[in-house]
Amino acid sequence: MAEELTPETPETESEEPIKKRKNGLYPGVSDELAESMKSGWADTELHDLEPIAQTAETAARRAALSARFPGERLVIPAGNLKTRSNDTEYPFRASVEYAYLTGNQTEDGVLVMEPVSGGHTATLYLLPRSDRENGEFWLSGQGELWVGRRHSLTEASTLYGVPVSDVRELADTLRESTGPVRVVRGHDAGIEAALTDKVTAERDEELRVFLSEARLVKDEFEIGELQKAVDSTVRGFEDVVKVLDRAEATSERYIEGTFFLRARVEGNDVGYGTIAAAGPHACTLHWVRNDGPVRSGDLLLLDAGVETHTYYTADVTRTLPVNGRFSALQKQIYDAVYDAQEAGIAAVKPGAKYRDFHDAAQRVLAERLVEWGLVEGPVERVLELGLQRRWTLHGTGHMLGMDVHDCAAARVESYVDGVLEPGMVLTVEPGLYFQADDLTVPEEYRGIGVRIEDDILVTADGNRNLSSGLPRQSDEVEAWMAGLKS
């Protein structure tokens, strides 16, 4: 990784210094070099840009936001780069609220909704192109010669369908502003500091809750993006099955890396840390270390999702026999989870209570645990006391969208105590997990973990399984794996 060439002082006192690396090989910049770097560059302004695909949707979302908070200034930041270590940063991902309302994904951006008669005017505040006059474009670690070209403010206005201004002037503008204002907190400390005497935690939380609940029902663009994410995820699972022999020769990380390649080639990234859990690791719900062995005869629990370039993520789990065939006990446990998932999916329909799919799946799991003699019945007692949770542990699903656990800030009455509507997308993912050290179950059960997860769209007359491209029944899984390995 190359190191920046940085001067010791800024060009003007009004600008922040361009940070100089302490142990850089160049002591400074000569006047002649600085002058040379100012000129001789072609005009690269882009004049043939088209608006991004979701401009109509982002405009409609801003209109709904405007209607909810009339007469108030609304400030929604994208967030800033976060340091990974020393002078390297984590890959940037804009805040969901900001990306949902704008379609933009660049660091330091801020959407400001200014109240006017009859609604709001929206302005997007972004960093302009790197300054060539003061050398920022080649001297700063975030200059364009280091990290790539930014869109000009004019280009950005075309792309996102709103006026665009220089974000470096925004903090001062907000400090001088008057009237009621709300900000989405937790993303940009500088913007929050500029508003510190103008906002309240309670009012800001109302804004965050509204934007979370707005995403409960997906529009057609969002549903299309989620289907893209799922389709890429299906191909990623196929990739993994084809290389299970190489994973056996290495570790779970081969599986993680194989899926990641598909995510980066066809999408933006993985939507969350891939869970590639082989053998007893399948009993650790969020096993993301992925450093364990992959052995023939064990099960592989793969929980992974591709995130699209617009931030919509799939969330799919399959539990696969590493050697392609379930043992009798593995199949017994797998089929119980499959039956529970079938019951859960059947309960997903408009007008149903959100909790219905969870209750339906948990009942099936409780029935099987009683049948196998692992917990004393009757089933109603087990469910009332939650005794099945020793082996099922988690809820049976969650909302899905731009976050893998989407709409998390929504009110309880709108989410888990709410009613399903067409356009909602949720996961149905029952599981059974018998920990390796669980002395309450027969030894042969210990270390077996099974989860099956699919992404389900609520439709006008029922539901649609977006991830139906991956088989679920145990015999179909075996046939699918055999076909991919042949």
Side-chain angles (χ1 to χ4, degrees):
M1 185 176 184
E3 59 182 11
E4 304 98 295
L5 315 177
T6 54
E8 296 184 7
T9 58
E11 289 291 314
T12 65
E13 292 183 0
S14 62
E15 297 173 344
E16 290 190 7
I18 296 173
K19 185 178 180 181
K20 175 176 167 44
R21 180 172 285 151
K22 180 178 181 180
N23 287 302
L25 292 173
Y26 288 98
V29 176
S30 68
D31 291 342
E32 290 79 4
L33 177 57
E35 193 61 32
S36 171
M37 293 297 287
K38 291 180 182 180
S39 61
W41 306 101
D43 181 5
T44 60
E45 184 75 9
L46 303 176
H47 300 285
D48 56 352
L49 293 174
E50 296 290 335
I52 61 172
Q54 67 267 41
T55 49
E57 286 80 6
T58 54
R61 297 166 194 167
R62 292 192 299 270
L65 175 62
S66 174
R68 171 61 180 83
F69 298 105
E72 301 185 58
R73 180 177 290 103
L74 309 173
V75 182
I76 302 95
N80 316 122
L81 289 171
K82 292 181 174 60
T83 299
R84 181 179 185 271
S85 180
N86 188 27
D87 57 356
T88 60
E89 293 84 22
Y90 287 105
F92 179 73
R93 190 181 191 275
S95 73
V96 165
E97 296 89 350
Y98 174 86
Y100 177 75
L101 292 168
T102 67
N104 178 259
Q105 299 176 6
T106 55
E107 65 268 19
D108 301 327
V110 184
L111 172 68
V112 178
M113 304 278 287
E114 289 285 348
V116 295
S117 176
H120 289 78
T121 59
T123 302
L124 197 55
Y125 288 85
L126 300 173
L127 286 171
R129 295 286 309 278
S130 289
D131 193 330
R132 293 178 186 262
E133 187 63 27
N134 73 356
E136 180 232 342
F137 84 106
W138 71 288
L139 293 170
S140 168
Q142 294 303 317
E144 292 183 0
L145 286 191
W146 290 95
V147 298
R149 184 187 187 276
R150 295 194 286 262
H151 283 296
S152 72
L153 301 187
T154 300
E155 292 168 355
S157 183
T158 298
L159 286 170
Y160 305 109
V162 293
V164 178
S165 294
D166 189 337
V167 72
R168 295 173 299 183
E169 303 167 359
L170 179 59
D172 288 340
T173 300
L174 292 176
R175 286 188 192 96
E176 298 169 1
S177 64
T178 59
V181 60
R182 298 176 191 253
V183 63
V184 176
R185 298 190 182 200
H187 301 299
D188 192 319
I191 293 299
E192 289 181 37
L195 294 169
T196 186
D197 60 342
K198 306 176 190 301
V199 296
T200 66
E202 181 180 0
R203 289 163 56 80
D204 292 346
E205 180 64 10
E206 288 175 352
L207 173 60
R208 189 172 78 102
V209 168
F210 173 82
L211 290 173
S212 193
E213 293 186 3
R215 303 198 309 275
L216 284 168
V217 176
K218 271 59 181 179
D219 57 40
E220 288 303 313
F221 176 85
E222 294 178 287
I223 293 169
E225 289 299 294
L226 285 166
Q227 187 65 69
K228 286 182 189 176
V230 168
D231 292 345
S232 289
T233 299
V234 168
R235 291 187 283 272
F237 274 69
E238 292 171 347
D239 296 339
V240 167
V241 171
K242 292 175 182 177
V243 300
L244 280 177
D245 57 337
R246 300 181 198 174
E248 285 188 66
T250 53
S251 76
E252 296 162 336
R253 293 205 171 170
Y254 203 97
I255 294 165
E256 177 187 350
T258 298
F259 187 85
F260 181 68
L261 178 61
R262 178 67 65 174
R264 286 293 283 166
V265 168
E266 295 192 2
N268 177 56
D269 206 329
V270 289
Y272 52 96
T274 295
I275 299 168
H281 288 162
C283 299
T284 302
L285 298 185
H286 288 168
W287 176 260
V288 293
R289 298 179 201 171
N290 299 339
D291 58 0
V294 179
R295 299 187 179 100
S296 179
D298 282 348
L299 297 177
L300 166 68
L301 190 157
L302 178 59
D303 185 336
V306 173
E307 176 186 85
T308 67
H309 293 291
T310 55
Y311 288 175
Y312 290 87
T313 185
D315 183 9
V316 177
T317 305
R318 289 294 183 269
T319 305
L320 311 171
V322 173
N323 63 11
R325 302 286 296 181
F326 292 101
S327 71
L329 182 58
Q330 288 170 349
K331 186 176 186 300
Q332 171 189 307
I333 296 169
Y334 185 96
D335 288 348
V337 175
Y338 170 79
D339 290 344
Q341 194 198 30
E342 281 284 274
I345 292 173
V348 176
K349 53 190 174 183
K353 294 178 181 178
Y354 175 85
R355 293 179 181 271
D356 287 352
F357 77 95
H358 169 72
D359 293 342
Q362 290 293 300
R363 176 171 291 277
V364 172
L365 295 179
E367 288 171 351
R368 298 305 168 84
L369 291 166
V370 171
E371 289 174 15
W372 300 339
L374 301 183
V375 64
E376 181 181 350
V379 170
E380 293 298 339
R381 168 184 171 272
V382 173
L383 291 170
E384 181 182 355
L385 299 176
L387 301 180
Q388 83 285 359
R389 292 183 62 187
R390 181 181 178 99
W391 303 284
T392 67
L393 298 173
H394 56 79
T396 311
H398 52 81
M399 290 295 181
L400 184 67
M402 296 181 86
D403 280 326
V404 64
H405 298 145
D406 208 28
C407 313
R411 294 168 296 174
V412 172
E413 58 266 32
S414 300
Y415 192 158
V416 295
D417 286 344
V419 174
L420 296 179
E421 300 177 39
M424 290 182 171
V425 180
L426 60 146
T427 67
V428 178
E429 51 174 312
L432 283 173
Y433 314 90
F434 299 101
Q435 304 298 324
D437 60 349
D438 187 349
L439 301 181
T440 70
V441 299
E443 185 175 358
E444 60 267 26
Y445 282 76
R446 298 172 198 166
I448 296 178
V450 174
R451 179 163 68 250
I452 312 172
E453 176 181 22
D454 286 88
D455 302 341
I456 310 298
L457 167 68
V458 183
T459 63
D461 56 358
N463 69 67
R464 174 158 59 93
N465 185 347
L466 300 179
S467 45
S468 60
L470 282 176
R472 294 186 295 123
Q473 286 184 289
S474 54
D475 58 342
E476 292 177 350
V477 168
E478 291 177 339
W480 170 71
M481 292 182 69
L484 288 172
K485 290 182 176 182
S486 61

